[in-house]
């Protein structure tokens, strides 16, 4: 059974850095693209980007390029979403999802990680 | 940037048919996918490649495509179908993926 288990909720201050994680199991992690989706409070889903754990190739949405870093460590079957300097507007739920790259969609989803940025 | 357009809300009575549309210029070239999201839960794939249904999804969920518009149809709507529904696709070059704004389905 494919499972994606995300790290827990975080409360941070503006300007702080943050790394949230997503651990995959039940499949060969390095063989599938994995991506991140943002959902701001009361709002819709936004595609942030995807990464291929096997060779670290990463694609970003223009809206998130330069704002976050998406990466993966295939040795521990874990993907990451990283911020160097958080803003209040980064407050959101973040979902990881296993991607079907060739058909451009998400097959399996993590449970979500809530990030709250507040002074 | 590429956009997919959905109606913000659709309301139907139990047993009726709900139709949720999604429009985008690249839809004739790229498949569309539909996700259901209930409050406090992660999204869940209900239709892939315009009209295919993943295993375990009830037959009352179906999808269709015509030109620049795709449609999610829920026949015989049940109370448990009340949720937000999002279409998703890619731009014409498949380098950037995008979600529609979402449609809140209310079962009256």
């Amino acid at each position: 059974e494919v499972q994606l288990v995300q790290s827990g909720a975080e409360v941070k201050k503006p300007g702080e850095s943050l790394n949230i994680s997503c651990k995959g199991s039940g499949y060969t992690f390095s063989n599938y693209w994995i991506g991140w989706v943002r959902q701001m409070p009361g709002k819709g889903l936004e595609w942030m980007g995807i990464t291929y754990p096997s060779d670290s190739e990463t694609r970003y949405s223009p809206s998130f390029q330069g704002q976050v870093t998406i990466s993966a460590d295939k040795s521990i079957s874990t993907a990451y979403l990283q911020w160097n300097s958080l803003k209040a507007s980064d407050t959101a739920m973040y979902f990881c999802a296993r991607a079907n790259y060739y058909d451009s969609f998400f097959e399996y989803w993590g449970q979500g990680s809530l990030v709250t940025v507040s002074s | 940037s590429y956009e997919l357009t959905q109606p913000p809300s659709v309301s139907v009575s139990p047993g009726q048919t709900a139709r949720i549309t999604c429009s985008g210029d690249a839809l004739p070239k790229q498949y569309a996918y539909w996700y259901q999201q209930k409050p406090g839960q992660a999204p869940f794939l209900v239709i892939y490649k315009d009209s295919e249904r993943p295993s375990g999804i009830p037959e009352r969920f179906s999808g269709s495509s015509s030109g620049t518009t795709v449609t999610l149809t829920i026949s015989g709507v049940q109370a448990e179908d009340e949720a937000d529904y999002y279409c998703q696709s890619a731009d014409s070059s498949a380098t950037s993926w995008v979600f529609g704004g979402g449609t809140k389905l209310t079962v009256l």
Side-chain angles (χ1 to χ4, degrees):
Chain A
E1 177 193 8
V2 174
Q3 285 195 316
L4 297 169
V5 178
Q6 298 185 227
S7 51
E10 301 272 3
V11 179
K12 291 288 192 179
K13 294 186 182 336
E16 291 186 332
S17 63
L18 177 64
N19 222 338
I20 61 175
S21 66
C22 169
K23 184 171 178 60
S25 62
Y27 71 101
T28 303
F29 183 80
S30 58
N31 288 355
Y32 291 84
W33 290 73
I34 190 159
W36 291 92
V37 174
R38 183 176 79 174
Q39 188 166 39
M40 299 177 76
K43 302 298 185 182
L45 305 174
E46 300 174 88
W47 183 75
M48 301 178 72
I50 51 175
T51 191
Y52 189 53
S54 184
D55 64 6
S56 299
E57 182 177 352
T58 304
R59 308 277 176 90
Y60 290 94
S61 160
S63 299
F64 292 94
Q65 179 84 48
Q67 307 303 308
V68 297
T69 301
I70 294 171
S71 63
D73 184 341
K74 62 185 179 184
S75 69
I76 55 172
S77 302
T78 300
Y80 300 98
L81 180 62
Q82 177 185 346
W83 293 263
N84 289 331
S85 181
L86 286 160
K87 302 184 282 285
S89 57
D90 292 318
T91 295
M93 181 70 79
Y94 293 87
F95 295 99
C96 68
R98 195 185 86 171
N100 180 316
Y101 178 76
Y102 297 103
D103 290 321
S104 305
F105 75 104
F106 292 115
E107 297 174 295
Y108 299 95
W109 294 71
Q111 84 276 18
S113 297
L114 180 63
V115 174
T116 303
V117 184
S118 174
S119 55
Chain B
S1 61
Y2 183 50
E3 293 184 354
L4 296 174
T5 302
Q6 299 180 232
S9 63
V10 168
S11 299
V12 295
S13 298
Q16 290 190 326
T17 296
R19 294 181 179 85
I20 300 172
T21 59
C22 172
S23 299
D25 290 341
L27 289 177
K29 297 177 60 176
Q30 298 290 347
Y31 284 122
Y33 303 85
W34 290 94
Y35 304 89
Q36 178 194 73
Q37 187 183 33
K38 295 184 178 180
Q41 296 184 16
F44 189 82
L45 183 71
V46 294
I47 293 290
Y48 68 100
K49 290 187 178 180
D50 292 347
S51 60
E52 300 295 320
R53 200 172 45 246
S55 60
I57 300 301
E59 290 184 7
R60 64 179 182 274
F61 288 86
S62 64
S64 61
S65 175
S66 180
T68 59
T69 299
V70 294
T71 302
L72 172 69
T73 301
I74 310 172
S75 305
V77 166
Q78 301 182 5
E80 67 197 49
D81 300 330
E82 186 164 283
D84 293 325
Y85 291 86
Y86 295 90
C87 62
Q88 180 256 308
S89 187
D91 64 10
S92 56
S93 61
T95 56
S96 192
W97 302 6
V98 64
F99 289 94
T103 299
K104 181 175 180 58
L105 175 65
T106 299
V107 182
L108 301 170

